[in-house]
Amino acid sequence: MKEIIRCFKLEAQMEHMAKKDVLLDVLEKFTSPNINLTPEEQEDPDGHRLPALTNLGMGYVFEELIRKFNEDNNEEAGEHFTPREVIELMVHLVFEPIRDSMASTLSIYDPACGSGGMLTEAQNFIKDPEKNIRPNADIHLYGREINDETYAICKSDMMIKNNDPGNIRPDSTLAKDVFSDVRFDFMLSNPPYGKSWASDQRHIKDGSDVTDARFRVSLPDYWGEVDVVDAVPRSSDGQLLFLMDMIHKMKTVATKDDGSQSQGSRIASVHNGSSLFTGDAGSGESNIRRHIIENDMLEAVIQLPNNLFYNTGITTYIWLLSNNKTGKRKGKVQLIDASGLYRKLRKNLGNKNCEFAPEHIRTITDHYLALTEALPETKADDSAIASKVFENRDFGYYKVNIERPDRRMAQFTPERVETLRFEKALREPMAWMHAREKS
């Protein structure tokens, strides 16, 4: 609790507000009989009913405050909060395919956990008696968060919900691997995209050499020779580093004594288009994509509607990864275009002007589970979902430089070239003499 109070800077805030003579006004707002911030139903002084504020309601209050905070401080796109319905879609995609084979003890990790929304929603989804996924499971939540205040919120939430707050760690995920000896069953994240990781480079690289094992991979070259190569993107965008951190923490698939296999790990991560398209062959981004696809870990990429997030209107995607694909998914990648599935909000929330309805989440999940191919009947049908399945090799290519002699140089024999050099030197006698003296 002392750490949480220190991260919130509560003592300094109260002292500052007291000096400005506004502390009493703020406290009176929170204790006003005309609002109800408790989980029990109450009445105001006029006898009007004040409904209870549920956990979900408090979550929406927090979302609105975070949205306003981001707008006022010009936070970068995707840096803070993930809409609740996007998290709901992610947990459906991660847990439903293996709902009948999940272990009784599970671990869930988020390397950019923020206020802990993905972790707690994942836990609620698994333990919900109505969904009957694994209501009696023993679930351990882990996370990293660099922002002090959101870290304190997440840690507070863990304490309130009887989770272990010691599994939430502060500071940069990229700079130090504090969970280096832990492997997780499930990982969900919305890492910051378009955000520089230059301040973490000294922890990852020594000069031009990558020293962190999380960001080095083994890949074959054109002739099949396997070599260890760097898997770091350009310094202006570190989102793929968070994905590599999660891949490094996947559980290995092992055969048990009874002949069955352990489930390995499953990952859902939100990215913008940069992770898909940035980086030429041989670049760090390309090496990361090669490592994922050539090791048959990429199950699906789902395109989301624009303007779905609070502080960005750009196109976003959910990547689904697994190191233990089912038989029908082996060697395949499913691309789903769900950009036309949304319903409009009555009032915009920052950049967010639409949301997923429950039926949209169900439609996307069903297409993913069935591994079906579907195309709109007409090109004008923007609201229809599109799905297509590709082979892993469809995404691969080599970049080859082909060199050939210039025909114009064919007339210049070595003797002719030497003569030309001499003639040029005669035209510049001082330069030629100076060159001869130096030689």
Side-chain angles (χ1 to χ4, degrees), residues 118-132:
M118 285 195 181
L119 295 174
T120 54
E121 284 300 307
Q123 183 182 41
N124 293 341
F125 184 83
I126 295 173
K127 298 181 76 70
D128 188 346
E130 294 184 1
K131 294 184 174 64
N132 196 28

Side-chain angles (χ1 to χ4, degrees), residues 12-28:
Q13 289 283 5
M14 288 189 291
E15 183 179 348
H16 175 73
M17 294 166 73
K19 287 181 179 179
K20 299 299 182 181
D21 202 23
V22 296
L23 180 59
L24 178 61
D25 295 335
V26 172
L27 294 179
E28 284 181 339

Side-chain angles (χ1 to χ4, degrees), residues 372-383:
T372 55
E373 293 199 356
L375 294 173
E377 294 182 1
T378 63
K379 292 183 178 181
D381 190 3
D382 295 332
S383 62

Side-chain angles (χ1 to χ4, degrees), residues 355-373:
E355 64 180 358
F356 281 134
E359 57 268 23
H360 298 146
I361 294 175
R362 189 69 261 164
T363 299
I364 298 170
T365 305
D366 288 344
H367 275 80
Y368 165 70
L369 294 175
L371 195 65
T372 55
E373 293 199 356

Side-chain angles (χ1 to χ4, degrees), residues 31 57 82 87 102 134-135 157 167 199 222 262 294 419 424 432:
T31 58
T82 309
I87 300 177
M102 290 171 61
R134 190 62 97 217
D157 193 52
N167 290 338
S199 59
Y222 183 78
S262 59
E294 291 184 7
T419 301
K424 181 179 180 182
W432 179 59

Side-chain angles (χ1 to χ4, degrees), residues 81-136:
F81 193 78
T82 309
R84 194 63 52 92
E85 74 272 13
V86 175
I87 300 177
E88 186 176 351
L89 173 62
M90 292 172 71
V91 297
H92 274 275
L93 296 171
V94 167
F95 298 121
E96 282 204 24
I98 59 169
R99 61 183 302 160
D100 298 326
S101 60
M102 290 171 61
S104 56
T105 301
L106 303 170
S107 57
I108 306 173
Y109 171 62
D110 184 349
C113 63
S115 59
M118 285 195 181
L119 295 174
T120 54
E121 284 300 307
Q123 183 182 41
N124 293 341
F125 184 83
I126 295 173
K127 298 181 76 70
D128 188 346
E130 294 184 1
K131 294 184 174 64
N132 196 28
I133 302 292
R134 190 62 97 217
N136 299 319

